[in-house]
Amino acid sequence: MSTEFPHIPYHRPDVDDLELLSRARHHYQQMDQRRSVRFFSDRPVGKEVIGSLIMTAGTAPSGAHKQPWHFVAVSDPEVKRQIREAAEMEERAFYKERATEEWLRDLAPLGTDWRKPFLEIAPWLIIVFKKVYDDHPEGRRKNYYVQESVGIASGMLISAIHSVGLVTLTHTPSPMNFLSEILERPENEKPFLLLPVGFPASDATVPDLHRKKLEEIATFM
């Protein structure tokens, strides 16, 4: 083993086959309850909770361990208002001009439109940025597999949000350049995903959707 880049021991507690299966099924059952929620309560969520969720996302694997992500957590009402106004402007254009008829038909069961009140009601907005390169005093350094790495981190963040008892929604207004402007992010960061985070409203509803079965999404060989 190289002494220039040393490794450290790694151990996981041994788990027998029955416990392994039990844990796998329990985690699936928990995550199968996850839904994209568009109706939020304004009940506060502590900054420490959001910080821990972001730290969980930061444990994701990344190309060459570059960790090419940055998370901006917004609770300021004025900033949330600005984000909502800009997002709704893009969403209006999408629904009226950019979306094809097929796309609109596929969206119809979800009951969505250009209005995004959850961007102000949810106590937090977490905006995920991908860092296409890093700036260092000695110069610019390339990041690798940025899209894949940030996608994995975002998935881990969504899983963590659900696991602690909160809800979220993957929101991707297009284009998203307004997020860089409002949040004053540097040139090397590009917006990837916007996640409202909080508790569901007491009268929240979700579409009655059904997920594909195992045999439809997996092949065992």
Side-chain angles (χ1 to χ4, degrees):
M1 181 180 295
S2 170
T3 56
E4 184 180 0
F5 303 104
H7 286 205
I8 59 175
Y10 177 77
H11 299 288
R12 291 275 292 175
D14 188 44
V15 180
D16 63 39
D17 290 349
L18 285 176
E19 177 64 17
L20 196 66
L21 179 58
S22 175
R23 291 185 185 185
R25 286 176 171 168
H26 174 75
H27 187 66
Y28 162 68
Q29 289 165 359
Q30 183 185 43
M31 294 310 300
D32 193 39
Q33 298 172 24
R34 188 209 59 78
R35 300 299 298 269
S36 295
V37 175
R38 292 173 171 81
F39 303 99
F40 285 80
S41 165
D42 61 1
R43 175 181 168 186
V45 175
K47 178 181 177 181
E48 295 80 5
V49 173
I50 300 300
S52 291
L53 295 173
I54 292 173
M55 287 297 291
T56 298
T59 68
S62 61
H65 194 55
K66 290 288 188 172
Q67 305 169 81
W69 43 65
H70 190 85
F71 304 86
V72 178
V74 178
S75 63
D76 184 280
E78 173 57 22
V79 179
K80 290 196 295 180
R81 182 192 63 77
Q82 293 177 35
I83 290 174
R84 177 185 178 180
E85 288 182 356
E88 288 186 336
M89 183 180 300
E90 297 295 350
E91 291 292 282
R92 276 196 298 269
F94 168 78
Y95 279 93
K96 293 180 179 180
E97 303 168 13
R98 300 186 192 132
T100 64
E101 288 299 321
E102 180 182 11
W103 198 342
L104 292 175
R105 283 196 303 270
D106 288 339
L107 286 173
L110 304 180
T112 61
D113 61 22
W114 62 268
R115 299 171 182 84
K116 308 299 175 185
F118 52 78
L119 293 175
E120 286 192 89
I121 297 171
W124 289 93
L125 303 180
I126 300 178
I127 298 87
V128 184
F129 286 86
K130 60 182 182 182
K131 300 179 71 174
V132 294
Y133 60 87
D134 282 324
D135 277 322
H136 294 273
E138 60 273 20
R140 180 180 298 184
R141 290 184 180 177
K142 181 180 179 181
N143 289 329
Y144 309 98
Y145 298 104
V146 173
Q147 195 80 0
E148 296 87 347
S149 300
V150 178
I152 294 169
S154 297
M156 293 181 66
L157 177 55
I158 292 166
S159 176
I161 289 168
H162 175 77
S163 295
V164 301
L166 300 174
V167 296
T168 189
L169 167 73
T170 53
H171 185 44
T172 53
S174 179
M176 292 195 288
N177 297 332
F178 66 87
L179 291 168
S180 297
E181 297 170 5
I182 293 172
L183 301 173
E184 300 181 344
R185 301 311 306 162
E187 181 62 28
N188 65 324
E189 295 182 13
K190 304 300 180 184
F192 182 83
L193 184 64
L194 196 169
L195 296 169
V197 180
F199 291 96
S202 59
D203 57 352
T205 61
V206 294
D208 184 17
L209 303 178
H210 302 279
R211 295 185 169 101
K212 293 180 178 180
K213 297 178 181 178
L214 178 62
E215 57 268 25
E216 295 178 276
I217 65 172
T219 299
F220 293 85
M221 303 178 67

